[in-house]
Amino acid sequence: INKIQQHGEIGGGYPLKITATEVRVDTDSASNDNSSNDSADREVAFVTGILGTIEWEVLVKAASSCGLGGALPKALTEDLTKDPTFLRALYHVLMNVHVVSGMLTCPTTGREFPITNGIVNFMLEEDECEIIRA
């Protein structure tokens, strides 16, 4: 990894820019079922547990790149972190929105990584491997 970092392929290239050509939004029937309080409680607990690790501006930009502009507020307030309705909606964005096809682009190098069937191809080309071996 150190050789890759030296050649600018990793490091400084965060966050990758998302260009989504196809996005799938799954419906979560358990989340919409009012009788499923356990599911709702788990969703709120999950999001509450990871909230401190989320870089909010990056998430908002990613959501916007996936066609969800306005789905998330520009700033995360203390009140929102305690609002179960908001936390369930955030869970939906995190767990049920999938980029099916498109491209991730490194902001530092401009290198593009294609997304096909929801899988990103981060494989280096042969000439890039030669640079790293040197």
Side-chain angles (χ1 to χ4, degrees):
I1 290 181
N2 288 337
K3 284 191 175 193
I4 295 173
Q5 289 173 335
Q6 290 170 4
H7 291 284
E9 294 298 319
I10 296 179
Y14 175 83
L16 296 175
K17 177 185 172 207
I18 300 171
T19 305
T21 55
E22 182 182 352
V23 175
R24 184 183 79 237
V25 179
D26 295 338
T27 56
D28 187 5
S29 59
S31 292
N32 297 327
D33 181 0
N34 291 333
S35 66
S36 183
N37 288 333
D38 287 344
S39 177
D41 291 343
R42 280 193 301 273
E43 291 171 2
V44 168
F46 173 79
V47 172
T48 301
I50 67 164
L51 211 47
T53 65
I54 295 173
E55 292 188 39
W56 192 255
E57 290 179 18
V58 173
L59 178 60
V60 170
K61 188 174 182 180
S64 179
S65 296
C66 292
L68 300 174
L72 298 173
K74 290 189 187 280
L76 182 63
T77 65
E78 186 71 25
D79 289 342
L80 287 174
T81 66
K82 297 176 181 162
D83 179 355
T85 302
F86 168 75
L87 294 172
R88 289 186 69 208
L90 179 55
Y91 178 90
H92 175 72
V93 170
L94 293 170
M95 303 305 289
N96 296 325
V97 177
H98 309 277
V99 177
V100 177
S101 64
M103 195 72 68
L104 297 179
T105 306
C106 176
T108 303
T109 65
R111 179 139 181 347
E112 294 182 326
F113 304 96
I115 305 167
T116 307
N117 296 323
I119 300 170
V120 182
N121 180 355
F122 285 112
M123 297 295 293
L124 296 174
E125 298 297 327
E126 183 141 355
D127 59 331
E128 295 169 311
C129 293
E130 294 301 320
I131 292 171
I132 292 170
R133 287 186 201 134

